[in-house]
Amino acid sequence: MFSNRTNWKLTRNRLTEALEEARSSGARVLNLTISNPTRAGLHYDEKQILQSLASPRSMEYDPQPKGLPSARAAVADYYRLQHGLHLDPEHLILTTGTSEGYSFAFRLLCNPGDELLVPKPSYPLFEFLADLQDVKLVPYPLIYDHGWQMDFPSLQKAVSKRARGAVVVHPNNPTGSFVHEEEQKALNSFCRAHELALIADEVFLDYSHGPAPRRSFVANQDVLTFTLSGVSKISALPQMKVAWIVTSGPASQVEAAQARLEVIADTYLSMSAPTQWALPALLEQRKSIQQQLLDRVLGNLTELDRQLAAQKTCQRLGVEGGWYAVLRVPVTQTDEDLAIDLLRRKSVLLHPGHFYDFPSDGYLVLSLITPKREFAEALQRVLETLNL
């Protein structure tokens, strides 16, 4: 009765079952997996946010496939003010979340069974998005050697005649690694040689851990490029479901891609009027919320390094941006068994590396936006256990 594309394993994983057991027992679970900023103890300007959603203009239905001009202009202003880039709003299409942006790009580029190259480790959502679009994902590895790097020899081996595009996450989730300038040049050459489009996920772009901002793929002109971002991370407002896809590259390819994307967007018209009219105000929230998040992230990184310095069993891998850190731990059992053990014995929830397709056991992923006291206490419990 049901399609093969939804033939997923729908049973709960063992870690989820263990979490429900712990919570039903009344245990206080310290959460090192927090990804929802609205539950991370941040201060939002609630009055301004709610007022922005009450525009009387929302009462008029004005269907615009790309999104309302005022909303797209607000996104262009964000790139100008935050990244020094002059973006043509006509090359931008609003979407209800970056997942919809991925869906548009996948539908634009791929016939059923075509392939997209995706980084590994990375965010597990890709598999579900690809299944729903009948697209095959072909992983290429990120390797760690004094920092994360793209493995271009493996990328060359992974590409086939059915490949239609390559995906980069900039910075990657969860490794926190950016695509560096030389890598971008090599990636452009690779895409040109194999006639591939480039899909760049930049939702964490504003959260560089260094003083200098990172360059956006919106400025990439060498190959056809689709850049995805949104207020979920920029303004820490995932519930608003406001995102976009920006097209750049050779003019003729951009024009053809935009014409087709507009038809796709016109078919759904999914973005709600209140959020479009509110978008300037929602983007304005980044000016206070991003500093709060960066203070939290960098403070937790400092605490992580302080506690790691007092032991020799575990180490964290280098991280350049984003909200997560990767901990390298001794391999005494599978990562999933270790995460379950820590939950049951120490009431600490964290993610095993295999959730993000790490190539082997020995990795744990920690959220850096966990409130500081909870983060410090949870980390202490973890390291006490791992250093026995």
Side-chain angles (χ1 to χ4, degrees), residues 71-86:
R72 287 185 283 120
V75 175
D77 284 343
Y78 154 75
Y79 280 104
R80 178 176 57 83
L81 296 171
Q82 189 97 353
H83 296 284
L85 298 172
H86 294 277

Side-chain angles (χ1 to χ4, degrees), residues 36-38 44 49 53 231-232 235-242 275:
N36 181 353
T38 67
Y44 289 87
I49 292 170
L53 294 166
V231 303
S232 174
S235 299
L237 291 168
Q239 74 275 34
M240 297 305 172
K241 307 301 293 181
V242 180
T275 51

Side-chain angles (χ1 to χ4, degrees), residues 46-241:
E46 295 182 7
K47 181 178 180 181
Q48 182 62 32
I49 292 170
L50 293 174
Q51 284 181 346
S52 73
L53 294 166
S55 171
R57 293 170 293 187
S58 298
M59 295 304 297
E60 179 184 358
Y61 180 50
D62 182 17
Q64 298 279 347
K66 293 181 180 180
L68 292 172
S70 61
R72 287 185 283 120
V75 175
D77 284 343
Y78 154 75
Y79 280 104
R80 178 176 57 83
L81 296 171
Q82 189 97 353
H83 296 284
L85 298 172
H86 294 277
L87 169 66
D88 184 352
E90 291 302 311
H91 294 168
L92 183 155
I93 289 178
L94 299 180
T95 63
T96 305
T98 52
S99 293
E100 186 174 68
Y102 274 115
S103 174
F104 284 9
F106 288 6
R107 284 293 187 184
L108 172 70
L109 296 171
C110 298
N111 292 313
D114 282 345
E115 298 173 356
L116 290 169
L117 303 167
V118 296
K120 180 179 180 179
S122 195
Y123 191 54
L125 179 65
F126 290 146
E127 291 186 19
F128 293 95
L129 292 171
D131 285 345
L132 290 172
Q133 310 305 325
D134 297 321
V135 172
K136 179 182 177 182
L137 298 183
V138 178
Y140 65 87
L142 303 178
I143 56 176
Y144 191 82
D145 183 9
H146 299 89
W148 291 98
Q149 306 166 37
M150 295 181 66
D151 186 351
F152 281 96
S154 294
L155 194 59
Q156 290 285 358
K157 292 178 182 178
V159 71
S160 77
K161 292 182 179 179
R162 296 216 66 171
R164 295 294 177 265
V167 177
V168 293
V169 186
H170 178 66
N172 184 274
N173 174 11
T175 68
S177 53
F178 286 95
V179 179
H180 298 154
E181 184 176 353
E182 291 304 313
E183 289 179 318
Q184 183 175 341
K185 292 178 181 177
L187 189 60
N188 282 336
S189 296
F190 171 80
C191 288
R192 281 198 306 271
H194 296 282
E195 297 183 343
L196 304 178
L198 187 58
I199 301 172
D201 183 330
E202 293 188 343
V203 295
F204 287 108
L205 180 66
D206 291 349
Y207 297 95
S208 172
H209 297 176
R214 300 291 181 143
R215 185 172 175 82
S216 170
F217 274 86
V218 163
N220 196 41
Q221 300 295 327
D222 288 359
V223 298
L224 182 62
T225 303
F226 303 98
T227 303
L228 281 65
S229 192
V231 303
S232 174
K233 304 300 185 297
I234 288 175
S235 299
L237 291 168
Q239 74 275 34
M240 297 305 172
K241 307 301 293 181

